[in-house]
């Protein structure tokens, strides 16, 4: 009997020892991968960090707990809370680096494919904040095609669509990844013309990024665009939309001049953006905007080269 009891205590000790070793391993692993000389505050459970009561910026240990929780749980409520907490912390540049070095971007990115639209939105928001870091974009770019599919096939004006558009806008601030959107430019214009005011503004922000890059000019001008696009240049169009639409025209003009294509007029189909921007109807709208009541609009029109 004594031998059996002794064996039981030994087994229990081994189990406890293994658990302690695993906890130490997790902590040391986090310090090696995510440590940046940060002093770790008293430990909290990952669930505590998602309840909205923790206001401080999380440190490496706490971020690692959240990522581990995000990987291991199937509870949609906890997943959403963890994504929101990670997204909020990813607004800080130091944490953008820490989350990447902890291997967090693929963990967050995997949730952007979740069938639950609310989880997908929170994941896209977190990736959006993480994408402000140029090194993070290298890892995030693998999700660009899927994000585009979600943006253009999902519900119009939905939170998921807007979150995806914001992420794509951040990913195209530099020229590095803009080429990945080449095959989606016509879709962008479709969403621009069918979306509500908020969607229109976000699509125009994205198009403005593309329009500053001469390498994207031909793709923009060759896009098949509905003639209703010219309604963006009506005098009654909301100022925040009208000014961006005018800047789009200005940027394309500037790129054409840089590339020396304006005089040669490249071959585009009659349904293309090229024929809309350089047709007589657009020229009439530009002339009318010279008398617009808003000084900013009139100034923007005068800056656009007089090709009309």
């Amino acid at each position: 009997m004594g031998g059996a009891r002794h064996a039981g205590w030994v087994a229990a000790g081994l189990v406890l020892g293994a658990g302690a070793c695993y906890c130490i391993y997790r902590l040391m692993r986090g310090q090696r991968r995510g440590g940046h000389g940060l002093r770790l505050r008293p430990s909290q459970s990952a669930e505590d960090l998602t309840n909205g009561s923790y206001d401080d910026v999380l440190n490496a240990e706490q971020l690692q707990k959240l990522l581990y929780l995000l990987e291991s749980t199937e509870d949609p409520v906890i997943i959403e809370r963890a994504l929101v907490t990670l997204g909020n912390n990813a607004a800080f540049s130091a944490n953008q680096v820490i989350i990447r070095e902890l291997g967090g971007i693929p963990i967050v990115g995997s949730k952007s494919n979740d069938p639950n639209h609310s989880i997908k939105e929170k994941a896209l928001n977190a990736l959006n904040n993480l994408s402000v870091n140029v090194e993070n974009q290298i890892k995030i770019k693998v999700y660009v095609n899927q994000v585009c599919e979600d943006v253009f096939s999902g519900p119009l004006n939905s939170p998921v669509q807007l979150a995806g558009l914001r992420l794509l806008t951040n990913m195209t601030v530099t020229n590095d990844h803009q080429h990945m959107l080449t095959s989606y430019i016509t879709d962008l214009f479709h969403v621009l013309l069918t979306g509500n005011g908020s969607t229109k503004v976000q699509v125009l922000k994205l198009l403005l990024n593309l329009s500053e890059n001469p390498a994207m000019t031909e793709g923009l001008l060759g896009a098949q665009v509905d003639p209703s696009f010219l309604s963006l240049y009506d005098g009654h169009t909301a100022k925040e939309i009208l000014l961006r639409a005018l800047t789009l025209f200005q940027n394309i003009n500037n790129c054409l001049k840089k590339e020396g294509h304006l005089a040669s007029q490249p071959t585009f189909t009659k349904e293309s953006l090229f024929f809309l921007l350089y047709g007589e109807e657009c020229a009439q709208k530009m002339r009318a905007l010279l008398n617009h009541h808003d000084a900013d609009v009139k100034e923007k029109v005068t800056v656009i080269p007089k090709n009309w």
Side-chain angles (χ1 to χ4, degrees), residues 157-195:
N157 305 320
S158 66
V160 169
Q161 185 177 68
L162 285 171
L165 286 169
R166 285 191 291 268
L167 174 56
L168 294 175
T169 301
N170 267 358
M171 290 293 292
T172 55
V173 169
T174 66
N175 297 349
D176 295 341
H177 311 299
Q178 291 184 358
H179 65 279
M180 299 182 72
L181 274 69
T182 300
S183 61
Y184 297 103
I185 292 176
T186 293
D187 296 306
L188 276 172
F189 280 103
H190 176 72
V191 173
L192 170 65
L193 298 179
T194 56

Side-chain angles (χ1 to χ4, degrees), residues 181-227:
L181 274 69
T182 300
S183 61
Y184 297 103
I185 292 176
T186 293
D187 296 306
L188 276 172
F189 280 103
H190 176 72
V191 173
L192 170 65
L193 298 179
T194 56
N196 61 20
S198 298
T199 301
K200 279 179 165 58
V201 169
Q202 197 59 56
V203 173
L204 282 168
K205 288 179 179 179
L206 174 51
L207 288 171
L208 286 178
N209 286 347
L210 302 181
S211 69
E212 293 176 348
N213 180 5
M216 299 298 295
T217 304
E218 185 173 348
L220 288 168
L221 289 175
Q224 305 300 288
V225 181
D226 190 88

Side-chain angles (χ1 to χ4, degrees), residues 123-148:
L124 290 171
N125 287 336
L127 288 175
N128 182 48
N129 284 346
L130 287 165
S131 70
V132 175
N133 181 291
V134 175
E135 290 186 53
N136 287 358
Q137 289 191 1
I138 297 172
K139 293 185 176 294
I140 294 173
K141 70 178 182 180
V142 301
Y143 304 105
V144 166
N145 287 337
Q146 181 59 51
V147 172
C148 286

Side-chain angles (χ1 to χ4, degrees), residues 32 70 80 96 118 127 177 188 223 254 262 277 293 302:
R32 287 198 304 270
L70 196 55
E80 277 196 58
Q96 291 162 9
S118 186
L127 288 175
H177 311 299
L188 276 172
N254 292 341
L262 193 57
L277 288 179
H293 62 86
T302 60

Side-chain angles (χ1 to χ4, degrees), residues 256-296:
L256 282 174
K257 288 177 67 177
K258 286 179 184 177
E259 296 297 303
H261 292 318
L262 193 57
S264 63
Q265 295 191 3
T267 302
F268 295 108
T269 66
K270 290 185 178 181
E271 295 77 23
S272 67
L273 179 65
F274 177 85
F275 272 86
L276 290 177
L277 288 179
Y278 297 101
E280 178 56 30
E281 184 180 351
C282 187
Q284 291 176 1
K285 290 180 179 291
M286 293 297 112
R287 288 192 288 267
L289 288 175
L290 288 172
N291 299 314
H292 197 275
H293 62 86
D294 187 273
D296 292 334

